[in-house]
Amino acid sequence: NGDLQSCVLFLEKHLYNGPISWSTFQYMVSAVQYGGKITDSLDVRLFRTYTEEWLTERTCEENYSYNPDEPIFKIPNDFRYNVPSCTEHADYRKYIEQFPEIDSPEIFGLHPNADLTFRVKEATSLFQTLGETQPKGSGGDEGVSREDVVYEKTTELLGRLPDDYVEDEYKVKIKKLGGMTVPMNIFLYQEIQRLQQVIGKVRFTLQQLQLAINGEVVMTGELQDILDSIFDAKVPHTWENTLTGDEFSWRLPTLGLWFSSLLNRDEQYRSWLEKGRPKSFWLTGFFNPNGCLTAMKQEVTRKHKSQKWALDDVVYHTEVTNFERVEQIKAPPAEGIYIHGLFLDGAAWSRQSGTLVESQPKLLFVPAPVLYVTGNAKKDEDRARKEMFGPIGPYECPVYKYPSRTDRYFIFYANLKCTPEKYPNKWTLRGVALLCNT
């Protein structure tokens, strides 16, 4: 309330000292009073967008309404959100009492699917809590014990687990690809090292768990937790996290999805080692996707050595291709890389118009087309943006590793084309993002 009071006092002084400078008022609210306490850069951008859209002279017009011009879903009770001009206190109370019990997300600039996302998260959390409170009995269906079920599952997982990576062998293969002087090869080497740690950890714990079930070693608390997780088809905590809680592998909701991701990652690395650099990179399958893009940027900078490009002056240049599937790609780009495996959250992509469009109701995520990402000098990129996106500019879409939108999982910005009717601020309010995992 202190921030709100400060903003009201600032506006009040403006009212009594001539015409309002809306740009100054927007800055004071978004960057000083409230924004001064916001640390996430994308939260700062969102708050700035709130002020640009709603703290304007237009909102003071008598017929102004916060309702969208063309709502996707019907607003509850056909209520009209506006600022009433009343003279009596009772009239304001009467207006407030007419508010719907549940506000439509569209009032805040969100898509109606945002309400569905919220409810799915609530239901998932409820069932997760119920599952955790269930007794851990020793019996299963048809008299089969939990231990027998888990032993059979561990045998299956061990049979599907990829072979260990031998450092001497993959170093020789990387040398054939150009050696450790190539930035992308250094990135591949680091990724394989991390994947081997995961494979080694999984193999060791599964073997120890089988020994513990057979009574050959002590069933420790850690092994018991792994047994319970596998029985519930969940990912064991130690497979995803280090002892300090940092990310050890990757985070997915079920054991099946997690193990499938392990196999797909292994396939991408081994194919890279055996057949050379892929035509398109599955960005989701990297421990450090930022490292992949940085290595690419280093290679592009070296190619432009004659133009005296400096790595610090090179920025990302992104384009949405017409490729919807990796199989359609015949050859890698001459410069930069193709990336695939991303999902659009909060919007959809129109292949016909090549622009962002509204999501279909009840369809929370849609696969994004293959993206072309390369490096470009800042001056050249500014010129290219004007040519590609015109005066309204692109929507700078954040790309995240996980749905949890924090700086920790932020990767980079991808420029997506908009229409004049649905300009970038509209998609900022929609919370549109590209996700590696949903």
Side-chain angles (χ1 to χ4, degrees), residues 272-283:
W272 191 345
L273 286 173
E274 299 293 339
K275 302 176 184 177
R277 190 176 297 190
K279 298 173 186 175
S280 177
F281 293 85
W282 180 44
L283 197 67

Side-chain angles (χ1 to χ4, degrees), residues 34-89:
Y34 283 98
K37 300 177 178 65
I38 302 173
T39 56
D40 189 293
S41 58
L42 280 156
D43 287 340
V44 171
R45 184 180 80 167
L46 176 62
F47 209 87
R48 185 177 69 246
T49 304
Y50 284 150
T51 60
E52 290 174 357
E53 291 295 308
W54 293 323
L55 293 185
T56 63
E57 189 173 3
R58 183 168 54 93
T59 58
C60 299
E61 295 173 0
E62 188 174 347
N63 296 325
Y64 180 81
S65 173
Y66 291 91
N67 295 45
D69 295 332
E70 297 179 1
I72 298 171
F73 285 174
K74 180 182 176 183
I75 303 297
N77 305 328
D78 289 327
F79 186 76
R80 188 168 180 80
Y81 292 82
N82 55 24
V83 181
S85 299
C86 305
T87 56
E88 298 295 330
H89 187 263

Side-chain angles (χ1 to χ4, degrees), residues 10-172:
F10 183 82
L11 177 60
E12 187 178 1
K13 290 181 179 179
H14 255 57
L15 287 171
Y16 291 109
N17 290 300
I20 298 174
S21 170
W22 290 102
S23 58
T24 304
F25 182 47
Q26 291 169 359
Y27 177 80
M28 287 298 295
V29 173
S30 65
V32 180
Q33 304 293 1
Y34 283 98
K37 300 177 178 65
I38 302 173
T39 56
D40 189 293
S41 58
L42 280 156
D43 287 340
V44 171
R45 184 180 80 167
L46 176 62
F47 209 87
R48 185 177 69 246
T49 304
Y50 284 150
T51 60
E52 290 174 357
E53 291 295 308
W54 293 323
L55 293 185
T56 63
E57 189 173 3
R58 183 168 54 93
T59 58
C60 299
E61 295 173 0
E62 188 174 347
N63 296 325
Y64 180 81
S65 173
Y66 291 91
N67 295 45
D69 295 332
E70 297 179 1
I72 298 171
F73 285 174
K74 180 182 176 183
I75 303 297
N77 305 328
D78 289 327
F79 186 76
R80 188 168 180 80
Y81 292 82
N82 55 24
V83 181
S85 299
C86 305
T87 56
E88 298 295 330
H89 187 263
D91 294 334
Y92 281 105
R93 291 181 62 91
K94 185 178 179 181
Y95 176 76
I96 293 171
E97 290 170 358
Q98 296 173 7
F99 271 67
E101 289 186 11
I102 299 176
D103 294 312
S104 169
E106 294 187 72
I107 300 301
F108 309 103
L110 294 166
H111 192 277
N113 284 350
D115 187 54
L116 178 60
T117 301
F118 167 72
R119 297 185 186 282
V120 166
K121 285 183 177 179
E122 278 199 325
T124 303
S125 176
L126 174 63
F127 285 121
Q128 184 177 352
T129 304
L130 289 172
E132 291 172 352
T133 57
Q134 293 295 310
K136 303 292 189 292
S138 59
D141 294 338
E142 301 178 0
V144 181
S145 67
R146 290 168 62 91
E147 288 74 13
D148 290 340
V149 172
V150 172
Y151 192 93
E152 184 179 344
K153 186 64 179 178
T154 55
T155 303
E156 178 199 336
L157 294 178
L158 281 169
R160 297 172 59 198
L161 197 63
D163 295 332
D164 287 330
Y165 285 88
V166 180
E167 186 169 355
D168 291 338
E169 292 179 1
Y170 65 75
K171 272 187 172 180
V172 171

Side-chain angles (χ1 to χ4, degrees), residues 228-249:
D228 293 337
S229 296
I230 293 176
F231 184 81
D232 295 333
K234 295 179 181 177
V235 186
H237 181 78
T238 54
W239 291 6
E240 287 187 322
N241 305 278
T242 63
L243 292 174
T244 56
D246 294 326
E247 189 176 11
F248 176 65
S249 60

